[in-house]
Amino acid sequence: MLRFLVRRSLGAIVIILLISAITFFLFFALPSEPAQLACGKNCGPDAIALINKNLGLDEPVPVQYWHYLVGIFAGRDFEVGHCPAPCFGYSFTNSQPVWETIMDRYPTTLSLAVGGAAVFLIIGVSIGMIAAAKRGTFTDKFFSSLSLIGNSLQIYFVGVIALWLLVDTWGLIDRPEYTPITENPAKWFSGLLLPWLVLSIIFIANYSRMTRSQMVEQLSEEHVRTARAKGMSGRTVFFRYAWRGAIAPIITIVGIDLGSLFGGAMITEFTFTLHGLGRLAVESVTEKDLPMLMGVMLFSCTAIVIANIIVDALYAVIDPRVRLA
């Protein structure tokens, strides 16, 4: 396990460095100058030259990239002052430290993504298990039909309809807003309940079908038939043998879907006016704010890579047949 974690961590570092380099150098391929973006439209040559000097933009691009990487771990000195580690620079649009802005926004996205994942795993896997247990019955066909409908829906469409019906018309759910869980857990839950449900709709459809397929396959395996032949109860066979074999591939797919979950969270944030990292990323692209875009990209990439490593480790814990080495 330790060798696996070390190997995956080294690979993760390479991936993060590649993403940061590609993002950084692609930005400088844009026709606009970074100093011009930071200064605005009504900015003279002297002001642009001063910004280039203050932000280190007058150096060669590879040198700028190296200073950027060093600043993340050791801090960085600008003409305007010292930026403590982790230093991702200052925003071009509001001159605020990038790291502070990310720390202010990430709890919203984290709450949205983790809550949405919990909802679609609990509901999707449960529906799939019920459909597999009732294979060939009306219940199985009903859930299969619902999964096809859910898979064809889009977050921005369902979000607007749900907001109109459940919040504005019927008043069944509080209007979505983010409240830190440390301040008011009940308000945190009620404020994100609707975004969780909307974000998880497509994933519920996928995971219900996947769980049903895996469970049906496991129920036909030889070790499951042997357990039945030994006189074990149907409940024991279903949960102890079939369920354990079916859940391992599902956990692997969760790791793959983390990127899609972040993309879904981005759309959900716009739909419900939540200020998270997804919304911040889109704003940074629109405003061509390199430091902010780089910070969000690296932070998100690191979180997804770490989550994938954890998922792979859990796969081996759940299924002893897997050998990570």
Side-chain angles (χ1 to χ4, degrees), residues 16-26 65 69 294 298:
I16 293 171
L17 287 175
L18 286 175
I19 292 177
S20 66
I22 292 172
T23 306
F24 194 93
F25 288 102
L26 280 180
Y65 178 65
L69 291 180
M294 286 284 296
L298 286 179

Side-chain angles (χ1 to χ4, degrees), residues 5-249:
L5 293 177
V6 172
R7 186 171 67 250
R8 287 300 305 273
S9 298
L10 292 176
I13 294 174
V14 174
I15 292 174
I16 293 171
L17 287 175
L18 286 175
I19 292 177
S20 66
I22 292 172
T23 306
F24 194 93
F25 288 102
L26 280 180
F27 180 87
F28 281 91
L30 295 175
S32 300
E33 294 184 4
Q36 183 69 51
L37 298 175
C39 186
K41 295 181 179 180
N42 300 321
C43 199
D46 294 338
I48 292 178
L50 181 60
I51 292 176
N52 280 324
K53 181 179 179 181
N54 291 341
L55 298 181
L57 298 175
D58 54 348
E59 299 175 334
V61 176
V63 175
Q64 294 184 45
Y65 178 65
W66 171 250
H67 289 165
Y68 180 83
L69 291 180
V70 173
I72 295 177
F73 300 98
R76 186 176 176 186
D77 290 320
F78 293 95
E79 292 291 335
V80 294
H82 178 71
C83 177
C87 176
F88 288 88
Y90 294 90
S91 170
F92 284 169
T93 58
N94 54 25
S95 300
Q96 295 297 315
V98 171
W99 181 251
E100 292 184 6
T101 305
I102 292 176
M103 289 296 99
D104 182 61
R105 296 284 194 98
Y106 97 90
T108 303
T109 301
L110 180 64
S111 298
L112 186 60
V114 172
V119 170
F120 74 67
L121 282 175
I122 293 173
I123 298 178
V125 172
S126 298
I127 290 176
M129 292 175 63
I130 295 173
K134 303 292 185 180
R135 181 176 44 172
T137 64
F138 171 78
T139 302
D140 180 21
K141 296 178 181 178
F142 175 74
F143 283 135
S144 298
S145 300
L146 282 183
S147 66
L148 291 175
I149 296 174
N151 199 38
S152 65
L153 297 175
Q154 297 297 325
I155 293 176
Y156 53 84
F157 172 77
V158 177
V160 173
I161 298 299
L163 192 64
W164 172 57
L165 288 177
L166 300 179
V167 177
D168 297 332
T169 303
W170 297 335
L172 298 177
I173 299 179
D174 294 339
R175 179 165 290 277
E177 63 176 345
Y178 174 74
T179 301
I181 190 173
T182 54
E183 294 182 5
N184 192 329
K187 194 172 182 180
W188 169 82
F189 180 84
S190 62
L192 293 177
L193 179 58
L194 184 58
W196 286 340
L197 294 174
V198 171
L199 174 61
S200 63
I201 282 181
I202 297 177
F203 292 96
I204 288 175
N206 292 334
Y207 280 82
S208 63
R209 291 188 292 108
M210 188 190 318
T211 303
R212 180 193 179 279
S213 175
Q214 290 293 330
M215 288 296 296
V216 169
E217 180 180 345
Q218 288 296 318
L219 288 171
S220 63
E221 292 286 341
E222 291 185 3
H223 69 281
V224 174
R225 293 200 301 266
T226 302
R228 285 174 174 166
K230 290 181 178 180
M232 292 185 178
S233 65
R235 182 181 296 272
T236 301
V237 172
F238 191 84
F239 287 100
R240 183 176 179 180
Y241 292 95
W243 158 246
R244 188 169 184 178
I247 194 63

